[in-house]
């Protein structure tokens, strides 16, 4: 039936992965392309159908209740330039305003 064909097509899309070749896509299983479009692949790769990879392995088992925290980052550093140095960077030479 049409429903069975659509279901099979949907399930087979779980095995579409990008690679520089079929072997690469089938062994790396790194870049899923469930729609089958090359637009889902990194530059230089193509989308290959029916690999041994499974897109479901890339899905989280369940969503979390709260958003993930932002990664901790280092505090901003102080500019190595003094205020005098910064002032010098705002003066430019030229024949006129647009040339400067």
């Amino acid at each position: 039936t049409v429903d069975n064909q659509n279901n099979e097509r949907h399930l087979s899309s779980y095995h579409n992965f990008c690679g520089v070749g079929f072997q690469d896509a089938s062994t790396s299983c790194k870049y899923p392309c469930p729609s089958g479009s090359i637009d889902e692949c990194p530059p230089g790769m193509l989308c290959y159908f029916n690999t041994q990879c499974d897109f479901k392995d890339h899905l989280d088992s369940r969503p979390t209740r709260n958003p993930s925290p932002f990664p901790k980052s280092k505090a901003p550093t102080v500019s190595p330039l003094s205020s005098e140095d910064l002032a010098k960077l705002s003066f430019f030479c030229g024949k006129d305003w647009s040339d400067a």
Side-chain angles (χ1 to χ4, degrees):
T1 67
V2 172
D3 287 338
N4 285 343
Q5 289 173 342
N6 287 339
N7 192 34
E8 287 176 22
R9 195 174 302 126
H10 176 71
L11 291 176
S12 68
S13 71
Y14 288 154
H15 302 284
N16 300 344
F17 279 77
C18 304
V20 292
F22 182 80
Q23 185 68 26
D24 177 52
S26 295
T27 55
S28 72
C29 302
K30 190 172 182 180
Y31 302 104
C33 50
S35 76
S37 171
I38 191 173
D39 295 333
E40 295 175 297
C41 297
M45 293 186 176
L46 299 173
C47 184
Y48 292 92
F49 299 81
N50 299 320
T51 68
Q52 65 184 9
C53 310
D54 196 326
F55 179 70
K56 291 180 284 185
D57 295 339
H58 288 262
L59 302 174
D60 291 335
S61 56
R62 6 183 274 233
T64 59
R65 184 171 294 284
N66 297 317
S68 301
F70 281 104
K72 294 181 180 180
S73 61
K74 296 179 182 178
T77 59
V78 177
S79 172
L81 300 175
S82 69
S83 58
E84 289 176 9
D85 291 333
L86 291 173
K88 291 176 186 175
L89 293 175
S90 62
F91 295 98
F92 301 95
C93 298
K95 294 181 281 186
D96 56 30
W97 178 259
S98 62
D99 185 44

